Structures are given as C-alpha cells and as structure tokens.
Amino acid sequence: MRTFKDVAVLRQVHRYEDENDDIPADKRAAYRKDAKRFLEVTRGMADCTWTERDHEWLSARNRSVLQQTEEGRRELEKFKDAPLLMDGRKDSAVTAARGAIAVNLRKLEELAVRTSKPIAGLCAFHDKPEDFDDPDKVNSDEFRGMEAEFLVCEGARVLLTQNLWVEAGLMNGALGYVRGYMWPEGGDPHAVDAQGRPDKKRRAPLCVFVEFDDIKLQSKDGHPLSFFPDDPDRKKWVPIWRQKVASNETQDLSREQFPLQLAWALTHWKAQGMTLPKVRVHLSERTAKVPGIGFVAVTRVKHPWDLVFEEDLPDYREFMSARRKPAYRARRRFELRQEAAASRTLRKYGFCEADVWLPSERKAALDLL
C-alpha cells in the first residue's frame, strides 16, 4: 500500500440516519440530536479519543438502564428478534463464555421442539480436484462462511450472506425467517437410491423459501412484484437458491450451498460490513481491549436507538487500554501517513472535481468521454 502515490480519503458515513418517518413528531428533534452525537462518539471510540462523558452517554443503551422505566421496557420489546453480536463463534474454555454457534444451535433446537418442525441438514455439493479426499471437512472460512452442512428448520431466524438483488434489499445482512423448501421430484430428507443408500441429490431441496423482514420487490417501472402473486400473505417470500463459491486457498475446489446462516447470534467480526435494522450487543472486557472491535459492534446500525447492550458496556478504561497496543499504534501511524498523502494529492491536482465542478460542467465533461 505504500507504493500508491495518490490517496483519496472517503469521509462520508453511509450507515447513518437522522430522519425517520416512523419516529413521532415530538421525538424527531431528539432523534436528530442523538444521531449527530452518535457520529461524534463512535468516531472517538474508533480512535480512542472519546471521553468518559461519551462513554456514559453510550451506556444509556444498556439493557439494565432501559428496563428501569416503562418506556424503556416497551422499547426493549422491539429487540426480541434482533441478532445478538458476540465475542466468538465457539465456546471459550478459558472464560466459560458461550459462542455464537452454541447459542444458534440451542435456539434452533428450542424452536424445533416448540413447533414440532424437524431440523434439516442441508448438505453442500462440491467440485474438487481428483486427488482431493473429503471437501466436507474444509473450513467454511475458505468459502465465505458457507458450511458443508447447514442445519435449519421452518421458522428459523436466518441471515443472507451474499448480495443477490441489492435494489430489492436482498443483500449481505438481510434478515428473515425460513418458511419452507422446494424439493426435487420424488425428493425428501429421507430419500434413498435403488440400493437403499442415502441419495444426497434428492435429499437436498432445490431452494429455501425465506420471508425477509424488509424487501422491495418491484419492476423497473415501480410496480410491486411477488414470487407468489396469488397469495398476499407470502408477498415477502423469496426463493433462495444455492450459490457456488470457489475456495480462496485450494485451486479447482468450490462449494455450492445456500448463502444463509442462522442469525439469532453472530460474532462482531462476522457482522463487519453489515447494516442491521436493530442489534443486541454483548461486549466483554477482553473484546473491549481489542482496537476497533467495539466500534464495529456499535456501528452496525444507523442510529443509537437501534442498539442495546445486553450486558453493561465495559468500563471506559478497558476501551482506552487499546491505546497501548502495538496494533493500535501501527494503525494510527498508517492513517496519519494516508492523511498526509491525501493532502499532497489535493495539492498535486489543485482541486477536487466533486467540489469544484458545477453539474452542467460535469455533464459536459462526461459527454466528451
């Protein structure tokens, strides 16, 4: 990265909202005020330049604080289906903390018992080199998180992990509920071949139907669309098909699986890059000391009112201890170098086109290209 001569610093925050038509008129001024403060506090949180007063302000989103008032308890009801962001995927033998995998499996089992719906193991298909033994054992990290077997049942809370139709809201981070499956002709979870052996192809559904929380299915001229036009109760149901992803480590190895994962709980790292409508966060003292993780966790939403800390936010001193970490100092040095390079880039070209050109001038220039 040090070889680049020209640097542009992107400063606009897109995961941000200070206007919302669903907010009552008498609370919109407070909504805008808290949105602006959220930007200031999270910027300071990222750089370890925030103050104890900033920490205290953010701590007002602790569950222990909200549940002290009737209004706060009503607000917490809105978070019952929000994903929980956690420190790790697996259980920790050191801290005895539960991981996201265990939380999701427990919630899945509880759902199956409560609804009497069976848990289906949706197996992946692989294209592999001839000398490759068992692709099912390859870690999901090689395939952008897609597992060799995806355990799910009807009613499960799931998250889309790929961008399929961004304009409609079917993108990485979209949340929904599994409503059913489409099986191949003669297929079901117990299908066997002529020799009585498990038939993997017929045991796998062609697609999974997911009812998404927030999608906008419409034609180019703005007319609403539906995969079930004769059933208005299924207007948000979308068939999700398998997607093929190449291994990022092994040549000629690919996995074909549904781009879905259980979404009652996610790790902070997995949620990086996602925009979520609401989120519950559990940050431990150990995680608070890692530069940047706290910032990632709290900025998955566009406004602080869409955030709740399940356990009280760790102490201010825990976050600030990151300033002593070599990783933090290395990151800050890199950022400062890029700021200096960006300044030199502006002086080199004399101006920034987006700031100087009038719309008519920009159009004229583009017409010449």
Side-chain angles (χ1 to χ4, degrees):
M1 289 185 288
R2 294 179 181 177
T3 63
F4 290 106
K5 302 300 181 184
D6 293 345
V7 173
V9 179
L10 306 181
R11 303 188 188 277
Q12 184 175 353
V13 178
H14 294 276
R15 193 180 291 109
Y16 171 76
E17 179 180 84
D18 59 3
E19 298 288 345
N20 189 326
D21 293 338
D22 295 330
I23 301 298
D26 61 333
K27 293 185 177 181
R28 290 181 182 176
Y31 190 84
R32 288 191 293 271
K33 180 181 178 181
D34 281 356
K36 182 179 179 181
R37 184 75 189 276
F38 190 50
L39 272 184
E40 297 169 353
V41 170
T42 51
R43 283 171 179 162
M45 189 181 194
D47 297 336
C48 289
T49 58
W50 63 331
T51 66
E52 290 191 63
R53 178 173 291 185
D54 294 333
H55 178 274
E56 181 181 354
W57 178 84
L58 193 59
S59 297
R61 300 305 301 174
N62 288 345
R63 175 175 287 272
S64 61
V65 174
L66 292 172
Q67 65 187 8
Q68 293 177 14
T69 65
E70 183 63 32
E71 182 181 4
R73 288 189 289 271
R74 287 196 301 269
E75 187 175 353
L76 288 173
E77 283 295 311
K78 302 175 183 178
F79 288 83
K80 62 181 181 180
D81 291 330
L84 173 64
L85 300 190
M86 307 177 62
D87 285 358
R89 294 177 65 246
K90 299 179 179 180
D91 296 351
S92 172
V94 177
T95 63
R98 299 293 301 276
I101 292 176
V103 171
N104 280 324
L105 290 178
R106 176 173 57 81
K107 297 285 285 187
L108 182 65
E109 292 167 357
E110 291 174 354
L111 175 66
V113 170
R114 186 172 66 252
T115 62
S116 299
K117 299 291 185 180
I119 295 176
L122 308 185
C123 295
F125 301 131
H126 294 89
D127 290 332
K128 63 183 183 66
E130 292 184 3
D131 58 347
F132 201 92
D133 291 333
D134 192 353
D136 285 334
K137 293 183 179 179
V138 179
N139 193 288
S140 61
D141 292 340
E142 282 197 34
F143 303 99
R144 286 189 280 170
M146 295 206 301
E147 301 284 353
E149 183 181 39
F150 175 45
L151 297 177
V152 69
C153 77
E154 291 182 34
R157 190 67 162 158
V158 293
L159 178 141
L160 189 63
T161 60
Q162 292 186 19
N163 292 335
L164 302 182
W165 186 2
V166 174
E167 294 80 6
L170 297 176
M171 53 189 160
N172 184 13
L175 291 164
Y177 295 91
V178 172
R179 295 307 185 199
Y181 319 93
M182 179 190 292
W183 299 94
E185 186 175 355
D188 62 57
H190 309 289
V192 295
D193 60 19
Q195 288 73 40
R197 296 172 300 189
D199 189 330
K200 188 174 181 180
K201 286 288 185 181
R202 290 195 298 130
R203 286 191 174 194
L206 299 175
C207 68
V208 178
F209 291 108
V210 178
E211 182 177 15
F212 286 95
D213 297 352
D214 186 21
I215 58 171
K216 297 178 181 178
L217 300 176
Q218 59 184 23
S219 62
K220 291 183 178 180
D221 55 4
H223 289 92
L225 299 176
S226 174
F227 289 95
F228 299 88
D230 298 328
D231 189 348
D233 292 336
R234 299 183 179 184
K235 64 181 180 180
K236 292 186 177 180
W237 288 30
V238 177
I240 301 299
W241 306 84
R242 294 174 182 269
Q243 303 293 316
K244 181 179 287 189
V245 174
S247 167
N248 56 25
E249 293 187 15
T250 306
Q251 188 175 3
D252 297 328
L253 175 64
S254 64
R255 175 172 291 174
E256 192 174 343
Q257 179 61 288
F258 297 103
L260 298 168
Q261 70 173 70
L262 297 177
W264 286 290
L266 305 167
T267 65
H268 308 302
W269 293 267
K270 181 64 180 178
Q272 188 170 4
M274 294 180 181
T275 300
L276 301 172
K278 289 192 181 297
V279 72
R280 298 177 296 133
V281 175
H282 177 264
L283 273 172
S284 68
E285 291 184 356
R286 177 177 62 85
T287 306
K289 296 176 181 179
V290 180
I293 296 303
F295 171 79
V296 167
V298 303
T299 55
R300 296 311 90 204
V301 293
K302 296 181 178 181
H303 193 278
W305 293 10
D306 299 323
L307 165 75
V308 164
F309 295 107
E310 285 295 297
E311 302 291 337
D312 284 1
L313 193 65
D315 189 81
Y316 173 74
R317 290 171 297 181
E318 303 295 341
F319 288 99
M320 296 304 288
S321 67
R323 291 172 63 94
R324 299 191 293 272
K325 301 291 180 63
Y328 168 80
R329 294 197 294 271
R331 190 195 81 193
R332 288 298 294 147
R333 284 196 295 269
F334 175 77
E335 290 172 346
L336 291 171
R337 283 197 296 268
Q338 301 316 303
E339 291 281 357
S343 178
R344 289 195 295 270
T345 301
L346 286 175
R347 292 198 300 273
K348 173 182 175 182
Y349 293 101
F351 61 89
C352 178
E353 294 178 356
D355 294 333
V356 176
W357 284 13
L358 297 174
S360 58
E361 295 173 331
R362 177 178 294 278
K363 183 179 184 304
L366 292 174
D367 289 341
L368 294 173
L369 297 179

